[in-house]
Amino acid sequence: MKKIFIVASGAMFLFACSQKKKADLLIYNAKIYTVDASFSTASAIAIRDGKIIETGISEELLQKYEAKESVNEEGKFIYPGFIDAHAHFAGYANSLFTVDLVGTASWEEVVSRVHNFATAYKGGWMLGRGWDQNDWAVKEFPDNSILNDMFPYPVLLTRIDGHAAIANDIALKEAGITASTIVEGGEIMVNNGKPTGVLIDNAIDLVSSKVPGSSKEQFKEGLKKAEQNCFAVGLTTIDDCGLGFETVEGIKAMQAAGELKMRMYIMLSDERSNYAYAEKNGKIKTDRLNVRSFKVYGDGALGSRGACLLQPYSDKPGYSGFLLSRPEHFDSVANWLSQKGFQMCTHAIGDSGNRTILNIYAKYLKGKNDLRWRIEHSQVVNQNDFNLFGANSIIPSVQPTHATSDMYWAGDRLGSERVKGAYAFKRLLEQNGWIPLGTDFPVEDISPFKTFYAAVVRKDAKGWPEGGYQMVNALTREEALRGMTIWAARSNFEENEKGSLEAGKFADFVILDKDLMKVNDKELLQVNVVKTFLNGEKVYERNK
């Protein structure tokens, strides 16, 4: 406020002349959850140069700022842009050009979908993903006999979690696989001296390595389509867990050219060429790209019985799964990353897999620290091992929809006592006081609302089970929202630039038609994104 004194005709008059501050965008008459330390709310937000300059009361900010654009949101609900702390963005982009096998109720339906997709077949490999034998009446793995009869070209159909696949004989021949082939950290299923076509974990790589890569044009097209799908559900940052350096370079080039706007936190995969790349380039950080971590693979998945357990599977006596590499390998990776200052993020599902990685982490972290090494999934933890997370500041990165997808059969795999240490989000949260949440898409759906629902309500879309699944480990709504925003940002070392709607942070936010904090449980899956903003730019608006 400037005060100007004017003397005229022997009298002094005081005039107050206000100088309004400039803003690019002012949104008002909304309910804004800032997700700051006190979980405060506001009704208006002012933005300039892609960043938040202030949140506050509508009347005050309208008086204070002169904006190029002012928008009355008429009571809608604003949250920080959602951050998916564990996903496979590039994999999802590629999956948009393959057969969608999600939700198939039988092996016959899988084959039918492949056959229908084949009408547009243009040669080369036929690829699909998304089947889950646990959803079928017959819950055993199929064999490839019908694929051999129907398709005279190589076929590879990957299970929904990516840890099992089935290939026809032509594809197996391309990979040189026979009944005597042995692979460390994987399994080639054989029946009557002949491969059935079912491949577990590292065995899949023998076949997938023979699949030609997509063209640069198709890759770009897929990423752009994936980005729009993510913006439509309010996602503004994606953690892509395990990419090669060539893909990183392609994404970086698209971002630099303005062809890809999504913010990406990328973990390099555990491959020799990626370590050389990291050695040469160090950590990479721009406003839209952050590369400072490695994704390591401890064991397989529970659904395909590739998760490594301390005791045999309850539904497969004498079999305990396996690690994907020897413990010595994990130790050498941890040693290198600790020396170079990179974050280690390791996939671990079974209680043996988690114990192995927790103990190796502890060897290098040596107690409380701020290195934020993560265990991706932390799915089944022995009761004696939970304390290792807190004692060494190890971050459990979890995906709530895994609990509601697996709850129908997890007890069969683990037994009634061991399953109590599975999907234990609340107990894991208590170890460090915070926990990042993700989806693991395309293993699960990309929707963060399903993440929120699964974390808080712990039921399926039909409301089963009536009392919720192992509700002692449900999260509160505030905890779930923090897990999808500020805690996810913190797991990426980005809490000072995103994850909450505070002055100085990126103007990444989402406008919803319902209040996640107040709407009843049954309506959570009906919440819709009205608009998504990234860097103050509207990147999505729902058709009215």
Side-chain angles (χ1 to χ4, degrees):
M1 182 80 70
K2 292 184 178 179
K3 293 183 178 179
I4 303 175
F5 295 90
I6 301 176
V7 178
S9 303
M12 181 177 287
F13 299 93
L14 176 63
F15 293 89
C17 300
S18 63
Q19 182 71 42
K20 284 192 173 183
K21 295 183 177 181
K22 302 294 184 182
D24 295 325
L25 175 64
L26 177 63
I27 294 176
Y28 64 97
N29 194 14
K31 184 169 185 179
I32 301 170
Y33 288 90
T34 65
V35 196
D36 60 5
S38 60
F39 207 68
S40 64
T41 59
S43 58
I45 184 169
I47 296 155
R48 184 173 61 236
D49 297 329
K51 292 188 175 181
I52 299 165
I53 50 179
E54 190 174 355
T55 60
I57 300 170
S58 295
E59 293 77 8
E60 293 180 359
L61 266 60
L62 284 167
Q63 288 293 321
K64 188 174 183 178
Y65 290 97
E66 179 182 336
K68 295 178 182 177
E69 181 181 8
S70 295
V71 181
N72 181 349
E73 284 298 342
E74 300 177 340
K76 293 186 181 69
F77 308 94
I78 299 181
Y79 298 83
F82 299 131
I83 301 171
D84 194 317
H86 185 109
H88 302 277
F89 184 71
Y92 173 64
N94 285 328
S95 76
L96 298 175
F97 298 100
T98 63
V99 190
D100 180 8
L101 303 176
V102 175
T104 45
S106 65
W107 173 236
E108 290 73 23
E109 185 179 352
V110 169
V111 174
S112 176
R113 286 198 194 183
V114 176
H115 180 265
N116 292 338
F117 191 87
T119 57
Y121 181 69
K122 297 180 180 179
W125 285 69
M126 178 66 68
L127 305 175
R129 177 166 179 158
W131 59 270
D132 184 352
Q133 84 284 3
N134 293 308
D135 294 339
W136 306 343
V138 178
K139 301 184 186 301
E140 300 302 319
F141 285 125
D143 64 38
N144 65 2
S145 56
I146 192 169
L147 298 180
N148 297 331
D149 293 339
M150 292 186 67
F151 306 108
Y153 40 76
V155 177
L156 179 65
L157 309 176
T158 306
R159 191 177 183 275
I160 191 165
D161 58 11
H163 289 273
I166 185 165
N168 65 356
D169 283 351
I170 295 175
L172 296 178
K173 185 177 180 180
E174 290 259 355
I177 290 176
T178 67
S180 60
T181 302
I182 298 174
V183 56
E184 182 180 345
E187 182 181 359
I188 297 165
M189 289 195 171
V190 175
N191 186 33
N192 294 324
K194 179 182 180 300
T196 66
V198 175
L199 310 167
I200 307 296
D201 288 305
N202 288 349
I204 302 170
D205 297 339
L206 300 178
V207 177
S208 62
S209 63
K210 302 299 180 182
V211 179
S214 60
S215 66
K216 288 185 178 180
E217 292 73 21
Q218 187 183 63
F219 179 65
K220 285 185 176 182
E221 181 184 349
L223 287 177
K224 290 177 182 178
K225 185 174 181 179
E227 176 182 73
Q228 283 306 306
N229 290 350
C230 288
F231 285 154
V233 294
L235 291 167
T236 55
T237 295
I238 305 291
D239 288 20
D240 201 320
C241 300
L243 293 181
F245 74 90
E246 300 97 335
T247 303
V248 172
E249 285 295 311
I251 288 172
K252 185 167 71 170
M254 288 182 68
Q255 288 178 332
E259 298 175 312
L260 193 68
K261 297 175 180 179
M262 179 65 73
R263 300 195 201 277
M264 303 285 296
Y265 186 86
I266 295 179
M267 304 172 192
L268 292 164
S269 57
D270 178 19
E271 298 172 11
R272 183 172 298 177
S273 59
N274 291 333
Y275 292 108
Y277 175 80
E279 181 80 58
K280 177 182 178 181
N281 295 279
K283 297 171 185 174
I284 299 171
K285 181 68 174 76
T286 70
D287 284 352
R288 296 182 190 264
L289 181 65
N290 195 349
V291 184
R292 58 171 299 152
S293 63
F294 273 79
K295 168 72 176 300
V296 184
Y297 306 84
D299 60 352
L302 194 65
S304 55
R305 296 189 185 87
C308 189
L309 301 180
L310 294 168
Q311 300 297 326
Y313 281 83
S314 296
D315 58 358
K316 192 174 182 180
Y319 183 79
S320 300
F322 46 80
L323 296 174
L324 297 185
S325 297
R326 293 173 181 162
E328 294 81 7
H329 172 72
F330 303 133
D331 186 273
S332 66
V333 170
N335 183 36
W336 190 89
L337 294 177
S338 66
Q339 292 181 37
K340 301 298 180 180
F342 276 77
Q343 182 189 36
M344 188 167 180
C345 306
T346 306
H347 165 116
I349 299 291
D351 51 9
S352 180
N354 274 285
R355 177 176 288 181
T356 299
I357 301 304
L358 283 165
N359 285 327
I360 290 172
Y361 276 21
K363 175 181 175 181
Y364 292 95
L365 298 176
K366 299 176 181 178
K368 295 289 186 180
N369 62 85
D370 194 36
L371 297 176
R372 308 183 198 183
W373 284 19
R374 295 165 43 165
I375 292 189
E376 305 301 317
H377 311 306
S378 306
Q379 197 161 303
V380 185
V381 180
N382 184 273
Q383 298 293 340
N384 296 320
D385 294 337
F386 279 95
N387 66 300
L388 292 172
F389 286 92
N392 299 285
S393 303
I394 297 167
I395 310 306
S397 170
V398 304
Q399 301 75 50
T401 49
H402 284 340
T404 51
S405 291
D406 299 356
M407 62 185 176
Y408 310 102
W409 47 262
D412 295 335
R413 293 279 195 278
L414 299 171
S416 59
E417 285 303 311
R418 186 166 45 182
V419 78
K420 294 176 182 178
Y423 319 100
F425 308 143
K426 190 75 164 188
R427 190 167 178 186
L428 290 167
L429 163 65
E430 291 167 350
Q431 291 300 307
N432 295 292
W434 61 284
I435 190 169
L437 306 181
T439 62
D440 203 13
F441 74 72
V443 176
E444 302 281 357
D445 192 87
I446 68 173
S447 171
F449 304 111
K450 293 183 178 180
T451 297
F452 190 90
Y453 179 81
V456 173
V457 182
R458 289 175 74 106
K459 297 180 181 180
D460 64 18
K462 297 178 181 178
W464 188 91
E466 185 175 351
Y469 178 63
Q470 298 189 167
M471 289 301 289
V472 68
N473 276 301
L475 302 181
T476 67
R477 294 196 184 206
E478 180 180 334
E479 290 165 348
L481 182 59
R482 288 188 182 278
M484 295 158 51
T485 55
I486 190 63
W487 290 344
R490 186 176 179 183
S491 74
N492 299 343
F493 299 88
E494 296 177 335
E495 70 271 25
N496 292 324
E497 61 188 59
K498 64 176 71 165
S500 62
L501 301 178
E502 299 179 85
K505 292 192 176 184
F506 294 131
D508 298 352
F509 57 96
V510 57
I511 303 177
L512 307 181
D513 63 351
K514 296 182 179 68
D515 190 346
L516 279 178
M517 295 296 106
K518 299 294 177 67
V519 71
N520 67 55
D521 291 351
K522 293 181 180 180
E523 291 185 84
L524 283 172
L525 295 178
Q526 281 73 56
V527 175
N528 295 301
V529 174
V530 179
K531 301 173 188 175
T532 302
F533 286 79
L534 189 136
N535 222 44
E537 175 191 359
K538 184 169 62 180
V539 292
Y540 170 79
E541 183 169 13
R542 186 184 182 206
N543 293 328
K544 296 181 179 179

